[in-house]
Amino acid sequence: MQLIVDELVPLSQQGLQHVFHVPTSSFYEVGPEGLALLEEVKAAGHISSGQQLSALTGQSEEERNELLADLRRLRLVVPESEQGSAYGLRDPAPTTEGIRNFVMHVAHSCNLACTYCYADHGLYKGRATLMDQERARSYVDWLFDQGRQHKQLGITFFGGEPLLNMPVVREAARYARQKAQQLDKAISFSMTTNGTLVTEEAVDFFEEIDCQVTVSLDAIGKRNDRLRPFHSGKGSYDEVMERIQPLLARRSVAARVTVTRKNLDVVHTVDTLLKAGFTEVGCSPVDAKDPAFDLRGEDYEQLLDGFATLTDRFMRAALSGRLYGFSNIKNLLKAIHEGHNKEYPCGAGLQMVAGAPNGEMSLCHRFVGEKDFVLGRVQDGGLDKAKRLEVLNDIHLSQRSDCSSCWARYICSGGCHHVNFLFEGSPSATYKTHCDYLRAWYKLGLISYARMVSARPDIFDSPLQPNDSCQQ
Amino acid sequence: MATRKIKALNVKARRIEDENSRDVRGYAFNDCCTSFAPGWEVGYNDGADPCPWKSDLSLCWSTCYWMGQVPDHQAHADWLDSCGNIQQDWRNLCTIPDTK
């Protein structure tokens, strides 16, 4: 039988002797002999299973044959007919039946005027609107009605600035909790806020409904102020930090940093926010379609340098049993540990949709206001099955020919639909500017994972706190 | 059977290692059946395969539902090499020697 090397990413830098198997996302330490043998087979094109193997120094033929059998058993070398097979180990396709998480746009209005805002300062290509209570309740009814098969449902309050419409947030949460109790389901809540309107009473409410709050902050002090001013032009940093003190004191809170060309110093930002009391800080490159903000080649390198420094801090802390709350690496290590290999990048349209004040339901919160991605209207009974299926088919990994030869395709799965849509005109196109950056980032994750497991083999066996919600 | 020189690090790798920890097992992919039915002699691209056993092992799971109950060619990758041509060597049943 002829065997070939399956699609692998070898890692031999920094003393590593590891391979990542692309079709299954399995990760192995193969040792110097394993790496050498894989390279030899790769160079030769194939090997026959009974073939005499030329001996490496210090290895008997028997040892070499045993190693080859191990590589075969672990599917790192395979018959050509099995090349690229996931052996049923691809992540199960998410159900297209019931939506689990609903993003409720309670306010299409914002009291900040962030200079790069993709949402048109919260207006989403429309006029300033607050969701009314009746609409919020109809969304809750719809969520519970169509999500019958799920034990756990979730609502994210989003905007604009959701705290501009606190009465509706309260009513939606009250109504959802009442329904959950009646139907014997669990309901969870989260919110992304700019922090300017947080009060003690709001924190009481967050505590009452156990709401996971994420505060958007992009940098420290004046640098944040230039990116996140009030409409008057006044900076928001000092006011936000003062306002959120009770929140930081009483709750576990995440910060979300949108990285633009003007705030690339992520190490200082993340470090300062963690010291200020945030449990976690996550960074995401902006997609503004504005050259003043969007990252380009050298910016990505600077961002990656910063991520490498923060990853190093995360690793040192983790190895001494502490959490350094740099979300990006924590989430990536979790994905590597579990061997995620998926054909959709996120749950948009599958397990999550967003709903606007006017009743229109969209692929995700970022597509609100884009008419082509309205999947239905709550007043018409919810999602249009045919439209939803059409969009889901269009954004499946198999439709992305640009991804077919990329080793990271089952981790990235084509990237954020909205980024692709904004820059390339379609969610199923590939925004290649992101690709090199993402591959370098994933490689850093694999190297970090290998080093951490090498230092402490059981380090990932206790559960990492998941934080899977898309906060873009 | 744990490998001696290769460490399975993440959850997926451990699953693959565990799946292969049995020496001999029924050979089935997904929900492929093990019943006997005509069609097994048709090889890849509908051509006759010189070794129908090999066809069962390597091909049927992708071309038809047939799957013979045969030894595990993952743990014993070379067992087929001794039965290259069933027409000349049909008495050789190509079983895995019982080493236990």
Side-chain angles (χ1 to χ4, degrees):
Chain A
M1 188 194 306
Q2 300 249 303
L3 299 171
I4 58 171
V5 176
D6 206 355
E7 193 178 357
L8 301 176
V9 182
L11 296 167
S12 54
Q13 57 270 63
Q14 300 176 29
L16 300 181
Q17 294 135 356
H18 292 65
V19 292
F20 177 73
H21 182 236
V22 173
T24 59
S25 294
S26 49
F27 194 32
Y28 302 92
E29 182 177 355
V30 295
E33 298 92 348
L35 268 188
L37 186 53
L38 286 167
E39 275 167 26
E40 191 182 320
V41 178
K42 184 104 184 158
H46 60 79
I47 193 167
S48 299
S49 53
Q51 189 177 325
Q52 296 268 319
L53 297 164
S54 59
L56 273 182
T57 316
Q59 265 199 305
S60 69
E61 191 186 324
E62 192 188 347
E63 283 174 320
R64 299 259 290 159
N65 281 327
E66 195 176 310
L67 185 57
L68 183 64
D70 283 346
L71 292 172
R72 170 69 192 108
R73 190 174 298 123
L74 298 171
R75 299 159 182 171
L76 302 175
V77 297
V78 292
E80 208 162 351
S81 59
E82 287 180 32
Q83 190 180 16
S85 171
Y87 304 95
L89 289 172
R90 187 99 353 112
D91 290 359
T95 172
T96 50
E97 289 171 8
I99 295 292
R100 208 188 283 258
N101 294 298
F102 179 67
V103 184
M104 191 182 283
H105 283 231
V106 289
H108 274 188
S109 177
C110 190
N111 57 337
L112 290 190
C114 301
T115 42
Y116 56 80
C117 183
Y118 75 91
D120 188 22
H121 300 158
L123 301 177
Y124 290 90
K125 298 188 173 174
R127 58 188 176 79
T129 333
L130 298 182
M131 186 179 287
D132 59 37
Q133 293 198 355
E134 193 184 332
R135 179 80 73 217
R137 278 198 296 267
S138 68
Y139 275 131
V140 171
D141 284 334
W142 168 83
L143 177 66
F144 278 87
D145 187 44
Q146 60 80 57
R148 278 185 219 107
Q149 75 269 42
H150 298 309
K151 183 77 190 128
Q152 165 92 44
L153 296 167
I155 295 175
T156 297
F157 297 111
F158 207 75
E161 172 47 45
L163 291 181
L164 283 171
N165 198 4
M166 197 56 179
V168 167
V169 171
R170 284 181 186 276
E171 173 56 18
R174 183 202 64 75
Y175 188 56
R177 292 174 87 200
Q178 180 189 316
K179 287 210 75 136
Q181 198 170 21
Q182 283 165 359
L183 299 167
D184 192 26
K185 289 188 186 299
I187 178 87
S188 63
F189 301 99
S190 59
M191 177 186 284
T192 299
T193 171
N194 63 28
T196 56
L197 300 169
V198 173
T199 59
E200 285 279 4
E201 293 72 32
V203 181
D204 290 342
F205 171 71
F206 296 146
E207 213 154 56
E208 183 193 330
I209 66 165
D210 194 20
C211 183
Q212 299 300 308
V213 180
T214 297
V215 179
S216 298
L217 278 165
D218 296 341
I220 308 305
K222 295 271 178 258
R223 187 164 290 187
N224 182 79
D225 288 345
R226 284 192 285 275
L227 290 162
R228 306 183 63 80
F230 286 96
H231 288 281
S232 65
K234 185 182 145 221
S236 61
Y237 185 79
D238 289 341
E239 193 166 329
V240 169
M241 291 309 285
E242 192 184 326
R243 283 273 192 163
I244 64 173
Q245 285 314 305
L247 183 62
L248 294 175
R250 293 166 58 188
R251 306 280 302 163
S252 179
V253 187
R256 183 213 143 80
V257 176
T258 298
V259 183
T260 74
R261 304 201 72 213
K262 297 173 193 287
N263 60 331
L264 279 162
D265 188 7
V266 290
V267 175
H268 177 58
T269 303
V270 171
D271 211 52
T272 308
L273 292 177
L274 288 175
K275 282 179 184 145
F278 284 97
T279 310
E280 285 197 33
V281 183
C283 303
S284 181
V286 72
D287 51 329
K289 214 175 178 188
D290 180 340
F293 297 106
D294 290 322
L295 307 192
R296 52 190 88 155
E298 67 273 20
D299 303 326
Y300 282 113
E301 281 170 29
Q302 194 179 333
L303 180 66
L304 276 172
D305 282 349
F307 276 15
T309 303
L310 292 167
T311 295
D312 203 50
R313 290 181 191 180
F314 177 93
M315 283 169 52
R316 283 170 201 273
L319 288 170
S320 55
R322 288 178 295 110
L323 172 70
Y324 183 80
F326 175 43
S327 302
N328 300 61
I329 192 65
K330 197 192 78 168
N331 293 340
L332 179 58
L333 289 171
K334 179 176 186 284
I336 291 171
H337 179 64
E338 291 175 356
H340 284 189
N341 58 347
K342 51 197 174 37
E343 292 173 335
Y344 285 102
C346 64
L350 289 161
Q351 301 197 31
M352 180 263 276
V353 290
N358 66 2
E360 286 180 351
M361 301 167 83
S362 301
L363 188 59
C364 81
H365 47 296
R366 306 194 92 174
F367 279 96
V368 168
E370 297 293 347
K371 295 292 173 201
D372 288 345
F373 296 93
V374 174
L375 304 183
R377 293 174 2 128
V378 71
Q379 55 271 46
D380 298 337
L383 299 177
D384 175 336
K385 280 185 184 166
K387 174 72 179 173
R388 183 180 173 201
L389 203 60
E390 178 198 323
V391 172
L392 284 175
N393 282 337
D394 188 45
I395 58 181
H396 189 266
L397 182 62
S398 61
Q399 302 298 313
R400 301 171 190 268
S401 55
D402 286 333
C403 301
S404 61
S405 60
C406 173
W407 68 261
R409 63 190 177 279
Y410 297 119
I411 309 175
C412 157
S413 314
C416 173
H417 303 312
H418 189 258
V419 169
N420 294 333
F421 168 70
L422 199 68
F423 288 95
E424 304 294 335
S426 161
S428 57
T430 305
Y431 180 49
K432 290 188 187 150
T433 309
H434 268 178
C435 294
D436 287 342
Y437 150 73
L438 280 171
R439 276 189 292 264
W441 168 236
Y442 294 152
K443 209 165 237 185
L444 178 64
L446 287 169
I447 292 168
S448 308
Y449 183 88
R451 287 175 60 197
M452 289 173 79
V453 171
S454 162
R456 256 192 50 202
D458 63 343
I459 192 158
F460 293 107
D461 287 343
S462 52
L464 289 167
Q465 294 299 315
N467 184 9
D468 291 329
S469 60
C470 177
Q471 294 167 353
Q472 296 203 33
Chain B
M1 186 195 308
T3 60
R4 288 197 318 162
K5 293 192 171 153
I6 302 176
K7 271 192 221 161
L9 296 184
N10 66 357
V11 173
K12 280 272 168 71
R14 287 185 224 160
R15 266 176 66 183
I16 291 169
E17 190 174 53
D18 289 348
E19 271 179 30
N20 289 305
S21 62
R22 289 156 291 178
D23 239 12
V24 178
R25 63 197 170 111
Y27 198 93
F29 273 82
N30 301 324
D31 54 356
C32 194
C33 81
T34 56
S35 66
F36 291 78
W40 56 267
E41 60 274 69
V42 178
Y44 199 57
N45 292 333
D46 296 327
D49 192 285
C51 177
W53 284 30
K54 207 168 201 167
S55 185
D56 284 351
L57 283 170
S58 319
L59 301 172
C60 278
W61 60 271
S62 61
T63 55
C64 76
Y65 70 89
W66 166 271
M67 189 62 62
Q69 193 128 30
V70 293
D72 173 11
H73 81 145
Q74 292 193 23
H76 297 273
D78 56 357
W79 75 277
L80 262 176
D81 292 355
S82 60
C83 73
N85 188 335
I86 196 89
Q87 286 160 335
Q88 291 170 17
D89 205 12
W90 60 272
R91 286 185 184 83
N92 183 356
L93 294 178
C94 306
T95 50
I96 293 171
D98 186 1
T99 53
K100 292 187 177 166

